[in-house]
Amino acid sequence: DECHGCLKDLTKFWRKDDTDDDRTVARIFWSTGVLSNDLVPILLETAGKGLVEDKRAIACADLMTAMTWPIDLAEELKELDDELDQGTDYTQLLFAHLNYKEALLRPGVFQALLGITLPCLARDPKERKERDLQIVNVVLHLIRNLAFIKDPPPNMYGSADQAEFSMLQTKLVKRLSESHFTDLLLTIASNAGDPMFTQWNNVVLEIFYLLFRGIKPSSLAADQAKVSV
């Protein structure tokens, strides 16, 4: 209960950035390593060990989704220009997103997220509560957020960390497949006309678009067994 209370306080603290153009709370969370040092371990300790509906795991997923929400840099800079405020630097926040993506690609994280999603979908539609729908929505948007974060271009003169960052999207696709999250996304997509799934059509479509952007259709249709690595 104490852990859940702390997570709720962090969520309330995060909302202060709604009226702060400098994103002070986001910068504090990044500098103190809230996501990698706290949220990921708590998620793995709760949802990752069979406690599929643990309220702490759900609170972690909710905060992770908020912390990785896409930054519309053009819009942010336009607002700063309108306000004649040139002091805000979003480079740190974009770099934080890359690190968040890397942290959430640790082994077990996607299995844990799937673990808190499936029970909500497994319930009979008549027994399903609004909270169940919200949990599925939060987790799907977390996947969307991670897919949105672009890898920096490869740099043969860069550090090992930079090389790792340039492969995050590939790693994301692998994690989705290994955790069977891809199967869930395909199930929702193939039942787009079913009232049980229609509310998630847009976010699933966006996930697939973000995963496939920049890839030639001919590459997607190729026989993967015959494609040289």
Side-chain angles (χ1 to χ4, degrees), residues 7-223:
L7 290 169
K8 289 173 66 177
D9 288 342
L10 287 174
T11 302
K12 291 178 182 177
F13 191 38
W14 178 265
R15 293 189 183 121
K16 291 183 178 294
D17 269 2
D18 291 345
T19 55
D20 182 2
D21 290 336
D22 198 43
R23 303 285 183 88
T24 303
V25 177
R27 296 176 192 279
I28 293 172
F29 279 19
W30 159 241
S31 64
T32 54
V34 168
L35 188 141
S36 58
N37 295 337
D38 300 295
L39 299 185
V40 170
I42 293 171
L43 177 72
L44 293 175
E45 185 64 28
T46 52
K49 293 193 175 180
L51 304 173
V52 292
E53 294 184 86
D54 192 290
K55 59 185 179 181
R56 293 162 297 182
I58 294 169
C60 284
D62 188 33
L63 196 49
M64 288 171 174
T65 302
M67 292 177 67
T68 57
W69 201 264
I71 298 174
D72 187 341
L73 195 57
E75 186 62 28
E76 297 284 357
L77 294 177
K78 181 179 181 300
E79 289 180 6
L80 290 177
D81 186 55
D82 291 343
E83 296 169 11
L84 300 178
D85 178 2
Q86 305 299 323
T88 301
D89 178 16
Y90 285 92
T91 305
Q92 184 188 52
L93 297 180
L94 295 172
F95 182 67
H97 274 200
L98 276 174
N99 282 270
Y100 293 160
K101 185 172 183 176
E102 182 185 40
L104 290 168
L105 292 177
R106 294 179 193 172
V109 171
F110 276 43
Q111 287 86 344
L113 291 171
L114 191 65
I116 63 176
T117 306
L118 289 181
C120 302
L121 292 171
R123 289 192 177 91
D124 186 284
K126 295 180 180 178
E127 298 178 359
R128 198 173 295 156
K129 301 177 181 177
E130 184 65 28
R131 176 173 171 75
D132 296 322
L133 304 178
Q134 291 173 352
I135 292 171
V136 176
N137 197 53
V138 163
V139 174
L140 289 177
H141 275 86
L142 176 55
I143 303 301
R144 187 282 308 267
N145 294 352
L146 296 179
F148 186 91
I149 300 169
K150 283 188 176 181
D151 298 347
N155 182 359
M156 62 182 297
Y157 301 107
S159 65
D161 287 341
Q162 289 174 317
E164 183 71 20
F165 283 155
S166 68
M167 297 293 291
L168 290 181
Q169 195 76 339
T170 299
K171 198 171 180 179
L172 172 62
V173 173
K174 289 181 178 179
R175 287 283 185 258
L176 287 171
S177 178
E178 293 166 354
S179 64
H180 301 293
F181 231 113
T182 303
D183 296 331
L184 174 60
L185 295 173
L186 289 172
T187 298
I188 296 174
S190 61
N191 290 277
D194 189 329
M196 178 178 173
F197 297 106
T198 51
Q199 61 190 302
W200 301 305
N201 284 351
N202 288 341
V203 65
V204 170
L205 180 63
E206 194 172 2
I207 289 171
F208 281 123
Y209 164 74
L210 292 170
L211 292 177
F212 295 148
R213 65 182 170 186
I215 300 176
K216 294 180 179 179
S218 58
S219 298
L220 294 174
D223 184 346

